Amino acid sequence: MSSRNGGTPTRAKNALEPNAADALVAGRHGDPFAILGPHYPPGGQGEVRVFAPHASSVEIISRDGAVAPLENIHDGGLFAGPLPSAPGEPYRLRLRAGDKQWEEDDPYRFGHILGDLDLHLIAEGQHLRIYEKLGAHIITRDSTSGVSFAVWAPGAMRVSVVGDFNGWDGRRHPMRKRHEAGVWELFVPRMTAGDKYKFEILDGDGNLLPLKADPFAFRQEPPPGNASIIQHPGENCIIGDEWQKKRSQSHALDGPVSIYEVHLGSWRRKTGNKYLSYDELADALVPYALDLGFTHIELMPVSEYPFDGSWGYQPVGLYAPTSRFGSPEAFGRFVRRCHDAGLGVFVDWVAGHFPTDPHGLARFDGTALYEHEDPRLGFHADWNTLIYNYGRNEVANYLHANALYWMETFGIDGLRVDAVASMLYLDYSRKQGEWIPNAFGGRENLEAVAFLRRLNELTFGEHPGTTTIAEESTSWPAVSRPTYLGGLGFGYKWNMGWMNDTLEYMRQDPVHRKYHHSKLTFGLVYAFSENFILPLSHDEVVHGKGSLLEKMPGDRWQKFANLRAYLGFMWAHPGKKLLFMGGEFGQSREWNHDRSLDWHELDDSLHSGVQTLVRDLNMLYRATPALYQKDVDTEGFQWVVMNDVEASVFAFLRLGREGEPPVLAVSNFTPISRSSYRLGVPQAGRWREVLNTDATVYGGAGSGNLGGVKTDSLPWGIHAQSVSLTIPPLATMFFVYEGDANAY
């Protein structure tokens, strides 16, 4: 029997079953503590057994310095002998191999790592800080420094820690199974930060599996090695007090939120097409985003991933910031630099699926542990990935704790949850017969719904001031409504319908846009049903879709004019803003993850003009409460011109709280200038033209209204007064009400 209480060994027979010794030496014994370490027979002297196939002789050194040789009792390298110390007292081992001699501690003299409460919470799936227990942790036991390892693999026959420290020999450090939770554990003395390791696992039938990376590793070796690396999480970034005080307002529903979406590997590169490090990105990216007026940076997935072409959306190391750009500490510094500059940080979080890489979670212990056994539930044919089994407590716990980990360890301000629609529907991208209905015969994944609701309750509850964002492309109701009202509980939802409709409209030749007029108006039918973010994301500028600029029709000048008008329309429209990198200067080619953005294009005045426009849009947006205070309130929007199909003109009011001046936004999506264009306004006086996308500074022709217009006492539409405007071709204008015209 092995020890079950701290470091005090239980009593065992001195005689060792030959079959047990053979199994241990062959690496097929599932309970190494039953053989190795100290053992005490009833009424007899204690005995210690050591498996050291790498040594020719082994001696035991007691605490008082007494040395006793151990006998080689098996040709495979198993040694045994009397224990010169009292029960529970520490000892060390002295080993020799040829001319080499060294000392080490015996891992099998140490007791349990996980306590009963930990095991109970792990089994229940309620251990919110499970990453503090499972994985690898630098600790000290009995004045001995080392690393505690723990891994969930209930279906395994044997689990071992392997690495450079033991020659990657799975026989040498087999772990102890805690049957209460299906967790294997072992304390390995003298291991330290920077050491590489993996888990070697025999499945329940004794088959050797591919070496597995630690699901809870805080750091991971880059491909092709993919080893886990010992890392102390306490060395990472903890959120600063100043940012903690103000971050909840940084993404409030009634605040300005303008997000710059970034792929760290291709935003900018060094000579030789090499990555910038996290620190170099902090030096360049943070001031750039700040200068352009963005409130947040959203990072495409930074959890470790083996394949560059997945952009991070097929992660293997959920707890490890990718090593492509540096250490976890460096990632923490990047986040702190963002916060110090006043920028929030969102990260894309992938909980909808995971890749089939052999070192990852796939059939981790030889069973469908993290995924479903049935491919109709557990496999995404579109992406060749596996689907998490959200109904398994331990799997949900793994993911929920990971969400909290990014917020707690690195101070991340929000998670954008990827591919939520694929999680919600059992028949997502599946034909009839390729999916299994839920218990009520429906297509809804009830386990995923419960998982997402719990995710949002935990993130908002455990880390007030943070938020969550759903990439959800269907009409699932109440995605961004509280769970206590029956919603999924997200803070925001990407408005994919707006994105698809408006881009489809902009692709049309202006002469045909009148036939697609509803593409720009339909979004207002549901604009306030959710807390929406308007996304022009990376997905729209890859896979042959072309860049934003290339989607626009017409000659070169018209392409830029269309893009400027579209961006103006977006910033005026209800909903928070998100723009993928490169879009802010109208990059010509579509995005390529293997190379830098085309920064040289800023030498062209049309490209730099788009960049200047985005900066001015952000500054106007942040300085004008009517553009954001009532983003999720129908009272914050009012159509002025909705049905001018022939002219392709749109005009609407954005309204803030009482006392805030309203904003009039007007867009003309034809290349024809509209002079003396009259529309009604709610208040008499002067309306100042605060931004015009046709301004020469943006690359436009400079047509406009000489800084503003005064109302006429001519009723128009529902209003008692109106203004007469010059609306430039392919342009959007913003007017802010300034008051009595007689004052000017």
Side-chain angles (χ1 to χ4, degrees), residues 145-164:
S145 64
V147 174
S148 68
F149 294 93
V151 62
W152 180 55
M157 173 188 290
R158 187 264 291 169
V159 180
S160 297
V161 184
V162 295
D164 292 333

Side-chain angles (χ1 to χ4, degrees), residues 390-391 396 400 423-424 445-458 476 483 487-488:
Y390 305 109
H400 287 153
M423 302 167 69
L424 291 173
N445 188 334
L446 303 180
E447 293 173 344
V449 171
F451 167 81
L452 290 169
R453 286 175 171 162
R454 180 62 174 156
L455 165 73
N456 289 313
E457 290 169 352
L458 286 172
W476 187 282
T483 57
L488 292 182

